[in-house]
Amino acid sequence: MTHSPVPAVPHTPPPTIGLVLTGGGARAAYQVGVLEAISDLRIACGAGREPNPFPIITGTSAGAINAAALACGADHFDRAVRRIARVWRHFHAHQVYRADSLSVLRSGARWLTLLSMGWMLTRWRRLRPRSLLDNSPLHKLLGQLVSLVRLPRLIRQGHLRALAVTASSYSSGEHVTFFEAGDALAPWVRSQRKAVRDRITQEHLLASSAIPFVFPATALGIEGHTEYFGDGSMRQSAPIAPAIHLGAERILVIGAGRMHEPTSTPLPDVQPTYPSLAQIAGHALSNIFLDALSVDVERAQRINQTLALIPPEVRAHSPLRPLELLVIAPSQRLDEVAARHVADLPGPIRTLLGALGVSSKMQDVRGAALASYLLFEAGYTQELMALGRADTLARRAEICAFFGWTDRGNAVREPAA
């Protein structure tokens, strides 16, 4: 009696997971708390020996720095997360920008003086201040935190498929995604945004994280010429798109602000006053850093809903595919958290921001929005990391299902001090 061989079931590779880290200056500490919780859940589920869970990593602004640091440690994901967390847990503003009195006078005070007295003075004195703050210390920090020379080898060895960081060109007005990846991935071009294959450098990270007006633009070589770039969150209409173009089929997005901010409740017995420069600047930065993500997530959800209505045989002939998207964003307003830590800023920075209307008074939450992007101080970053961790662990079952991990109910380790 003979038996027909049982046909082998074709092995379906797991979907490629991409990570999207958005911008937000010091708010990016929240991302690190989320990543730390994911690393701890991964270990608790017994998946600690599995490969890097994010073969595709994209980032913008401060998120680009976190993305690059994570990508450079893709062969040891959990160790890379601990290293990043250690930096953010012990942050001080002077690691990112010069906060001493003399430096603030040279940059911020001069900038405000010229703003108030008229830019005609710049022709007389030949003074052209480039930014409110001098972020030259960040270059040194990047050298310690991000070992970009490792990227080509990590890509060749299969630990990473691609790293992408975005920046906005002041010269051309285009939104550019610079990416380093294997040879199979090709650049793309869309309306007012494009991708450029390049070796990612510290200059790319400085450009992507150059908050407009606050930090100076960075010169980058692109397609045979030089352009000046600023923060990648500016004019970013589709923050999720680079991960999709690079081949991600399932994407984790970590935001730096509430996806749907509640309307602020006016304080009793407090009459509304004309907005300060700090309120206006904070409002503008929130528009730059936060709004595009909400719109892009809603767009992806609508596409998924539309595709679900199309018969499978018809959908097979469409280039569109459903996108599994998991978004983790702060459950609290980070402006309110920042308001509790304005006094942690170095004295010269408090004085400078005070001239714009930033106050350490609790009722001045709107004014604290600007400070929320500049508060690279341990008290603030640790609170944001704790919030990111708590928000992530509160969705433990959902996150384990997203990664395909089996939750064994093991306790999650406590973060290092």
Side-chain angles (χ1 to χ4, degrees), residues 149-225:
V149 295
R150 303 190 73 228
L151 282 181
R153 179 166 58 86
L154 292 172
I155 292 172
R156 287 196 306 270
Q157 293 175 345
H159 297 293
L160 184 74
R161 286 198 191 181
L163 167 67
V165 300
T166 57
S168 185
S169 173
Y170 290 118
S171 305
S172 69
E174 287 188 303
H175 186 77
V176 182
T177 296
F178 298 94
F179 72 97
E180 189 165 348
D183 295 336
L185 292 172
W188 61 92
V189 177
R190 296 293 184 270
S191 176
Q192 294 187 347
R193 54 188 173 95
K194 65 181 179 181
V196 174
R197 178 186 289 274
D198 205 347
R199 285 292 302 272
I200 304 299
T201 66
Q202 291 184 6
E203 282 66 34
H204 289 91
L205 303 182
L206 288 170
S208 181
S209 59
I211 300 174
F213 298 109
V214 178
F215 296 139
T218 299
L220 295 176
I222 176 172
E223 299 173 339
H225 63 280

Side-chain angles (χ1 to χ4, degrees), residues 114-133:
L114 292 174
L115 180 65
S116 62
M117 297 182 65
W119 286 90
M120 289 297 293
L121 286 175
T122 62
R123 298 181 181 178
W124 176 46
R125 296 186 179 181
R126 299 183 182 275
L127 299 175
R128 294 182 182 270
R130 296 185 173 187
S131 59
L132 193 64
L133 297 173

Side-chain angles (χ1 to χ4, degrees), residues 6 32 61 83 94 110 116 125 145 151 173 188 207 232 247 255 284 312 355 363:
V6 178
V32 182
S61 191
R83 189 161 178 254
H94 63 76
R110 177 186 294 176
S116 62
R125 296 186 179 181
L145 181 64
L151 282 181
W188 61 92
Q363 64 264 31

